[in-house]
Amino acid sequence: DTAVSQTPKYLVTQMGNDKSIKCEQNLGHDTMYWYKQDSKKFLKIMFSYNNKELIINETVPNRFSPKSPDKAHLNLHINSLELGDSAVYFCASSAGVETGELFFGEGSRLTVL
Amino acid sequence: GQNIDQPTEMTATEGAIVQINCTYQTSGFNGLFWYQQHAGEAPTFLSYNVLDGLEEKGRFSSFLSRSKGYSYLLLKELQMKDSASYLCAVVDSNYQLIWGAGTKLIIKP
């Protein structure tokens, strides 16, 4: 059973389009995250939700909008895609805000042409 | 500012031992993680240190010195499958994870 699953795994799209990445975890965790990993391999936190409530919102363009319909799901919608948005986006979850071990999804590689 | 430093790349020989260092300057400290990330895959948990000293787990060990802001990951009996990036991450006073850029470890036969 996949603990943290995200779809799609690969996404190729044109500049200016809108796209979504979905994430689901079946671990019963309270906290979910979206990370961006660029070509330099730095993992950058984008958003964190705890029990469907936003707790971390780093300096991310407002073209990026997370949505958490329930604590098992955290989706990421991106409007007006730009070339610089090309990266691998990882969803992750943890048991709680103060419980650091993260369980990552397989990643979604977004390529903007 | 908050900062995590680790070497960009290291090379080692199969069967040998390698030590990957991590130094940090963060606002507070609530633990340090090591993650392994194979190319094209997600990071996976290796170890967690919150108290000073050495934690051993099979071929992998992790050491922490809070007074020095320093940790290392020690890999013994290296295997080709250990070729990966190793990410150091520190939990700060707000319980946020601060990530290093990772150390790419290349294992040669």
Side-chain angles (χ1 to χ4, degrees), chain B residues 36-62:
Chain B
Q36 180 190 60
Q37 186 176 23
H38 285 101
E41 298 183 10
T44 55
F45 170 81
L46 286 178
S47 67
Y48 174 66
N49 294 68
V50 67
L51 298 176
D52 289 351
L54 188 68
E55 297 272 347
E56 297 186 73
K57 195 187 285 186
R59 293 187 300 114
F60 293 7
S61 303
S62 56

PDB file of all heavy atoms in Angstrom, chain B residues 36-62:
ATOM      1  N   GLN B  36      17.913   9.979   2.918  1.00  0.00           N
ATOM      2  CA  GLN B  36      18.584   9.491   1.711  1.00  0.00           C
ATOM      3  C   GLN B  36      17.666   9.720   0.514  1.00  0.00           C
ATOM      4  O   GLN B  36      16.460   9.474   0.610  1.00  0.00           O
ATOM      5  CB  GLN B  36      18.874   7.985   1.856  1.00  0.00           C
ATOM      6  CG  GLN B  36      19.584   7.361   0.661  1.00  0.00           C
ATOM      7  CD  GLN B  36      19.629   5.832   0.762  1.00  0.00           C
ATOM      8  OE1 GLN B  36      18.586   5.182   0.824  1.00  0.00           O
ATOM      9  NE2 GLN B  36      20.823   5.266   0.800  1.00  0.00           N
ATOM     10  N   GLN B  37      18.241  10.211  -0.570  1.00  0.00           N
ATOM     11  CA  GLN B  37      17.426  10.409  -1.773  1.00  0.00           C
ATOM     12  C   GLN B  37      18.167   9.864  -2.990  1.00  0.00           C
ATOM     13  O   GLN B  37      19.179  10.420  -3.413  1.00  0.00           O
ATOM     14  CB  GLN B  37      17.093  11.886  -1.983  1.00  0.00           C
ATOM     15  CG  GLN B  37      16.129  12.125  -3.148  1.00  0.00           C
ATOM     16  CD  GLN B  37      15.728  13.580  -3.306  1.00  0.00           C
ATOM     17  OE1 GLN B  37      16.432  14.488  -2.871  1.00  0.00           O
ATOM     18  NE2 GLN B  37      14.575  13.816  -3.947  1.00  0.00           N
ATOM     19  N   HIS B  38      17.650   8.768  -3.557  1.00  0.00           N
ATOM     20  CA  HIS B  38      18.197   8.256  -4.806  1.00  0.00           C
ATOM     21  C   HIS B  38      17.693   9.121  -5.946  1.00  0.00           C
ATOM     22  O   HIS B  38      16.619   9.730  -5.866  1.00  0.00           O
ATOM     23  CB  HIS B  38      17.784   6.796  -5.025  1.00  0.00           C
ATOM     24  CG  HIS B  38      18.539   5.825  -4.169  1.00  0.00           C
ATOM     25  ND1 HIS B  38      18.018   5.272  -3.018  1.00  0.00           N
ATOM     26  CD2 HIS B  38      19.792   5.329  -4.282  1.00  0.00           C
ATOM     27  CE1 HIS B  38      18.911   4.471  -2.466  1.00  0.00           C
ATOM     28  NE2 HIS B  38      20.000   4.491  -3.221  1.00  0.00           N
ATOM     29  N   ALA B  39      18.481   9.176  -7.003  1.00  0.00           N
ATOM     30  CA  ALA B  39      18.148  10.027  -8.161  1.00  0.00           C
ATOM     31  C   ALA B  39      16.756   9.702  -8.677  1.00  0.00           C
ATOM     32  O   ALA B  39      16.435   8.527  -8.912  1.00  0.00           O
ATOM     33  CB  ALA B  39      19.190   9.843  -9.255  1.00  0.00           C
ATOM     34  N   GLY B  40      15.946  10.718  -8.829  1.00  0.00           N
ATOM     35  CA  GLY B  40      14.612  10.541  -9.366  1.00  0.00           C
ATOM     36  C   GLY B  40      13.606   9.979  -8.397  1.00  0.00           C
ATOM     37  O   GLY B  40      12.481   9.657  -8.792  1.00  0.00           O
ATOM     38  N   GLU B  41      14.001   9.844  -7.134  1.00  0.00           N
ATOM     39  CA  GLU B  41      13.088   9.283  -6.135  1.00  0.00           C
ATOM     40  C   GLU B  41      12.859  10.263  -4.999  1.00  0.00           C
ATOM     41  O   GLU B  41      13.477  11.319  -4.915  1.00  0.00           O
ATOM     42  CB  GLU B  41      13.643   7.959  -5.601  1.00  0.00           C
ATOM     43  CG  GLU B  41      13.777   6.891  -6.679  1.00  0.00           C
ATOM     44  CD  GLU B  41      14.249   5.561  -6.114  1.00  0.00           C
ATOM     45  OE1 GLU B  41      14.297   5.401  -4.879  1.00  0.00           O
ATOM     46  OE2 GLU B  41      14.572   4.676  -6.924  1.00  0.00           O
ATOM     47  N   ALA B  42      11.954   9.899  -4.093  1.00  0.00           N
ATOM     48  CA  ALA B  42      11.650  10.740  -2.945  1.00  0.00           C
ATOM     49  C   ALA B  42      12.678  10.519  -1.832  1.00  0.00           C
ATOM     50  O   ALA B  42      13.272   9.448  -1.724  1.00  0.00           O
ATOM     51  CB  ALA B  42      10.258  10.414  -2.421  1.00  0.00           C
ATOM     52  N   PRO B  43      12.889  11.513  -0.986  1.00  0.00           N
ATOM     53  CA  PRO B  43      13.739  11.309   0.188  1.00  0.00           C
ATOM     54  C   PRO B  43      13.123  10.277   1.126  1.00  0.00           C
ATOM     55  O   PRO B  43      11.899  10.218   1.281  1.00  0.00           O
ATOM     56  CB  PRO B  43      13.760  12.693   0.852  1.00  0.00           C
ATOM     57  CG  PRO B  43      13.343  13.652  -0.202  1.00  0.00           C
ATOM     58  CD  PRO B  43      12.407  12.901  -1.084  1.00  0.00           C
ATOM     59  N   THR B  44      13.966   9.466   1.749  1.00  0.00           N
ATOM     60  CA  THR B  44      13.493   8.506   2.752  1.00  0.00           C
ATOM     61  C   THR B  44      14.290   8.692   4.037  1.00  0.00           C
ATOM     62  O   THR B  44      15.487   8.987   4.008  1.00  0.00           O
ATOM     63  CB  THR B  44      13.626   7.049   2.267  1.00  0.00           C
ATOM     64  OG1 THR B  44      14.981   6.823   1.876  1.00  0.00           O
ATOM     65  CG2 THR B  44      12.717   6.772   1.095  1.00  0.00           C
ATOM     66  N   PHE B  45      13.618   8.510   5.146  1.00  0.00           N
ATOM     67  CA  PHE B  45      14.182   8.746   6.469  1.00  0.00           C
ATOM     68  C   PHE B  45      15.310   7.770   6.778  1.00  0.00           C
ATOM     69  O   PHE B  45      15.201   6.562   6.540  1.00  0.00           O
ATOM     70  CB  PHE B  45      13.059   8.594   7.492  1.00  0.00           C
ATOM     71  CG  PHE B  45      13.514   8.567   8.921  1.00  0.00           C
ATOM     72  CD1 PHE B  45      13.796   9.739   9.583  1.00  0.00           C
ATOM     73  CD2 PHE B  45      13.648   7.363   9.606  1.00  0.00           C
ATOM     74  CE1 PHE B  45      14.204   9.717  10.913  1.00  0.00           C
ATOM     75  CE2 PHE B  45      14.053   7.337  10.923  1.00  0.00           C
ATOM     76  CZ  PHE B  45      14.336   8.517  11.581  1.00  0.00           C
ATOM     77  N   LEU B  46      16.413   8.298   7.317  1.00  0.00           N
ATOM     78  CA  LEU B  46      17.514   7.453   7.782  1.00  0.00           C
ATOM     79  C   LEU B  46      17.655   7.502   9.298  1.00  0.00           C
ATOM     80  O   LEU B  46      17.757   6.464   9.951  1.00  0.00           O
ATOM     81  CB  LEU B  46      18.845   7.907   7.159  1.00  0.00           C
ATOM     82  CG  LEU B  46      19.098   7.585   5.700  1.00  0.00           C
ATOM     83  CD1 LEU B  46      20.442   8.154   5.278  1.00  0.00           C
ATOM     84  CD2 LEU B  46      19.050   6.082   5.456  1.00  0.00           C
ATOM     85  N   SER B  47      17.725   8.736   9.850  1.00  0.00           N
ATOM     86  CA  SER B  47      18.011   8.826  11.281  1.00  0.00           C
ATOM     87  C   SER B  47      17.511  10.151  11.843  1.00  0.00           C
ATOM     88  O   SER B  47      17.271  11.108  11.106  1.00  0.00           O
ATOM     89  CB  SER B  47      19.511   8.708  11.539  1.00  0.00           C
ATOM     90  OG  SER B  47      20.185   9.834  11.014  1.00  0.00           O
ATOM     91  N   TYR B  48      17.386  10.159  13.178  1.00  0.00           N
ATOM     92  CA  TYR B  48      16.977  11.359  13.908  1.00  0.00           C
ATOM     93  C   TYR B  48      17.812  11.429  15.170  1.00  0.00           C
ATOM     94  O   TYR B  48      17.895  10.467  15.932  1.00  0.00           O
ATOM     95  CB  TYR B  48      15.495  11.287  14.257  1.00  0.00           C
ATOM     96  CG  TYR B  48      14.986  12.402  15.147  1.00  0.00           C
ATOM     97  CD1 TYR B  48      14.958  13.706  14.697  1.00  0.00           C
ATOM     98  CD2 TYR B  48      14.528  12.131  16.446  1.00  0.00           C
ATOM     99  CE1 TYR B  48      14.479  14.729  15.500  1.00  0.00           C
ATOM    100  CE2 TYR B  48      14.055  13.151  17.254  1.00  0.00           C
ATOM    101  CZ  TYR B  48      14.031  14.444  16.774  1.00  0.00           C
ATOM    102  OH  TYR B  48      13.554  15.461  17.569  1.00  0.00           O
ATOM    103  N   ASN B  49      18.458  12.576  15.406  1.00  0.00           N
ATOM    104  CA  ASN B  49      19.235  12.808  16.625  1.00  0.00           C
ATOM    105  C   ASN B  49      18.701  14.062  17.305  1.00  0.00           C
ATOM    106  O   ASN B  49      18.519  15.093  16.647  1.00  0.00           O
ATOM    107  CB  ASN B  49      20.718  13.033  16.313  1.00  0.00           C
ATOM    108  CG  ASN B  49      21.406  11.812  15.745  1.00  0.00           C
ATOM    109  OD1 ASN B  49      21.110  11.393  14.635  1.00  0.00           O
ATOM    110  ND2 ASN B  49      22.330  11.255  16.499  1.00  0.00           N
ATOM    111  N   VAL B  50      18.489  13.982  18.595  1.00  0.00           N
ATOM    112  CA  VAL B  50      18.104  15.176  19.349  1.00  0.00           C
ATOM    113  C   VAL B  50      19.036  15.368  20.549  1.00  0.00           C
ATOM    114  O   VAL B  50      19.201  16.475  21.032  1.00  0.00           O
ATOM    115  CB  VAL B  50      16.620  15.127  19.774  1.00  0.00           C
ATOM    116  CG1 VAL B  50      16.370  14.020  20.783  1.00  0.00           C
ATOM    117  CG2 VAL B  50      16.142  16.470  20.278  1.00  0.00           C
ATOM    118  N   LEU B  51      19.667  14.275  21.001  1.00  0.00           N
ATOM    119  CA  LEU B  51      20.649  14.356  22.087  1.00  0.00           C
ATOM    120  C   LEU B  51      22.040  14.114  21.521  1.00  0.00           C
ATOM    121  O   LEU B  51      22.200  13.460  20.487  1.00  0.00           O
ATOM    122  CB  LEU B  51      20.341  13.310  23.158  1.00  0.00           C
ATOM    123  CG  LEU B  51      18.979  13.459  23.852  1.00  0.00           C
ATOM    124  CD1 LEU B  51      18.754  12.297  24.817  1.00  0.00           C
ATOM    125  CD2 LEU B  51      18.872  14.792  24.567  1.00  0.00           C
ATOM    126  N   ASP B  52      23.039  14.630  22.202  1.00  0.00           N
ATOM    127  CA  ASP B  52      24.417  14.451  21.759  1.00  0.00           C
ATOM    128  C   ASP B  52      24.792  12.972  21.763  1.00  0.00           C
ATOM    129  O   ASP B  52      24.351  12.204  22.638  1.00  0.00           O
ATOM    130  CB  ASP B  52      25.376  15.211  22.692  1.00  0.00           C
ATOM    131  CG  ASP B  52      25.264  16.717  22.526  1.00  0.00           C
ATOM    132  OD1 ASP B  52      24.587  17.149  21.578  1.00  0.00           O
ATOM    133  OD2 ASP B  52      25.849  17.439  23.341  1.00  0.00           O
ATOM    134  N   GLY B  53      25.620  12.623  20.813  1.00  0.00           N
ATOM    135  CA  GLY B  53      26.119  11.255  20.796  1.00  0.00           C
ATOM    136  C   GLY B  53      25.874  10.559  19.482  1.00  0.00           C
ATOM    137  O   GLY B  53      25.445  11.161  18.503  1.00  0.00           O
ATOM    138  N   LEU B  54      26.153   9.277  19.509  1.00  0.00           N
ATOM    139  CA  LEU B  54      26.113   8.455  18.309  1.00  0.00           C
ATOM    140  C   LEU B  54      24.909   7.525  18.349  1.00  0.00           C
ATOM    141  O   LEU B  54      24.671   6.846  19.337  1.00  0.00           O
ATOM    142  CB  LEU B  54      27.403   7.627  18.214  1.00  0.00           C
ATOM    143  CG  LEU B  54      27.648   6.847  16.934  1.00  0.00           C
ATOM    144  CD1 LEU B  54      27.909   7.788  15.770  1.00  0.00           C
ATOM    145  CD2 LEU B  54      28.834   5.892  17.129  1.00  0.00           C
ATOM    146  N   GLU B  55      24.161   7.511  17.245  1.00  0.00           N
ATOM    147  CA  GLU B  55      23.054   6.572  17.080  1.00  0.00           C
ATOM    148  C   GLU B  55      23.429   5.612  15.969  1.00  0.00           C
ATOM    149  O   GLU B  55      23.728   6.045  14.856  1.00  0.00           O
ATOM    150  CB  GLU B  55      21.769   7.320  16.684  1.00  0.00           C
ATOM    151  CG  GLU B  55      21.252   8.291  17.710  1.00  0.00           C
ATOM    152  CD  GLU B  55      20.316   7.633  18.702  1.00  0.00           C
ATOM    153  OE1 GLU B  55      19.885   6.483  18.452  1.00  0.00           O
ATOM    154  OE2 GLU B  55      20.033   8.241  19.741  1.00  0.00           O
ATOM    155  N   GLU B  56      23.416   4.309  16.286  1.00  0.00           N
ATOM    156  CA  GLU B  56      23.810   3.335  15.281  1.00  0.00           C
ATOM    157  C   GLU B  56      22.606   2.544  14.807  1.00  0.00           C
ATOM    158  O   GLU B  56      21.754   2.134  15.604  1.00  0.00           O
ATOM    159  CB  GLU B  56      24.870   2.383  15.856  1.00  0.00           C
ATOM    160  CG  GLU B  56      26.159   3.110  16.227  1.00  0.00           C
ATOM    161  CD  GLU B  56      27.264   2.166  16.650  1.00  0.00           C
ATOM    162  OE1 GLU B  56      27.816   1.483  15.784  1.00  0.00           O
ATOM    163  OE2 GLU B  56      27.558   2.127  17.857  1.00  0.00           O
ATOM    164  N   LYS B  57      22.575   2.353  13.489  1.00  0.00           N
ATOM    165  CA  LYS B  57      21.468   1.600  12.892  1.00  0.00           C
ATOM    166  C   LYS B  57      22.029   0.809  11.724  1.00  0.00           C
ATOM    167  O   LYS B  57      22.103   1.294  10.594  1.00  0.00           O
ATOM    168  CB  LYS B  57      20.385   2.575  12.425  1.00  0.00           C
ATOM    169  CG  LYS B  57      19.048   1.938  12.130  1.00  0.00           C
ATOM    170  CD  LYS B  57      18.079   2.928  11.508  1.00  0.00           C
ATOM    171  CE  LYS B  57      17.524   3.895  12.511  1.00  0.00           C
ATOM    172  NZ  LYS B  57      16.466   4.754  11.909  1.00  0.00           N
ATOM    173  N   GLY B  58      22.475  -0.408  12.019  1.00  0.00           N
ATOM    174  CA  GLY B  58      23.033  -1.236  10.957  1.00  0.00           C
ATOM    175  C   GLY B  58      24.330  -0.652  10.422  1.00  0.00           C
ATOM    176  O   GLY B  58      25.216  -0.271  11.184  1.00  0.00           O
ATOM    177  N   ARG B  59      24.423  -0.498   9.111  1.00  0.00           N
ATOM    178  CA  ARG B  59      25.643   0.034   8.511  1.00  0.00           C
ATOM    179  C   ARG B  59      25.727   1.554   8.640  1.00  0.00           C
ATOM    180  O   ARG B  59      26.763   2.147   8.388  1.00  0.00           O
ATOM    181  CB  ARG B  59      25.695  -0.342   7.018  1.00  0.00           C
ATOM    182  CG  ARG B  59      25.851  -1.815   6.738  1.00  0.00           C
ATOM    183  CD  ARG B  59      26.075  -2.093   5.252  1.00  0.00           C
ATOM    184  NE  ARG B  59      24.972  -1.637   4.415  1.00  0.00           N
ATOM    185  CZ  ARG B  59      25.069  -0.644   3.523  1.00  0.00           C
ATOM    186  NH1 ARG B  59      26.201   0.020   3.381  1.00  0.00           N
ATOM    187  NH2 ARG B  59      24.031  -0.312   2.789  1.00  0.00           N
ATOM    188  N   PHE B  60      24.629   2.184   9.039  1.00  0.00           N
ATOM    189  CA  PHE B  60      24.586   3.639   9.127  1.00  0.00           C
ATOM    190  C   PHE B  60      24.596   4.089  10.580  1.00  0.00           C
ATOM    191  O   PHE B  60      23.920   3.502  11.429  1.00  0.00           O
ATOM    192  CB  PHE B  60      23.322   4.183   8.448  1.00  0.00           C
ATOM    193  CG  PHE B  60      23.269   4.009   6.952  1.00  0.00           C
ATOM    194  CD1 PHE B  60      24.221   3.270   6.276  1.00  0.00           C
ATOM    195  CD2 PHE B  60      22.252   4.601   6.209  1.00  0.00           C
ATOM    196  CE1 PHE B  60      24.175   3.114   4.893  1.00  0.00           C
ATOM    197  CE2 PHE B  60      22.195   4.456   4.832  1.00  0.00           C
ATOM    198  CZ  PHE B  60      23.149   3.713   4.179  1.00  0.00           C
ATOM    199  N   SER B  61      25.358   5.149  10.850  1.00  0.00           N
ATOM    200  CA  SER B  61      25.381   5.762  12.182  1.00  0.00           C
ATOM    201  C   SER B  61      25.282   7.262  12.003  1.00  0.00           C
ATOM    202  O   SER B  61      25.775   7.818  11.018  1.00  0.00           O
ATOM    203  CB  SER B  61      26.679   5.437  12.922  1.00  0.00           C
ATOM    204  OG  SER B  61      26.872   4.057  13.019  1.00  0.00           O
ATOM    205  N   SER B  62      24.672   7.923  12.983  1.00  0.00           N
ATOM    206  CA  SER B  62      24.602   9.385  12.930  1.00  0.00           C
ATOM    207  C   SER B  62      25.037   9.938  14.276  1.00  0.00           C
ATOM    208  O   SER B  62      24.673   9.421  15.328  1.00  0.00           O
ATOM    209  CB  SER B  62      23.191   9.858  12.575  1.00  0.00           C
ATOM    210  OG  SER B  62      22.243   9.331  13.476  1.00  0.00           O
TER     211      SER B  62
END
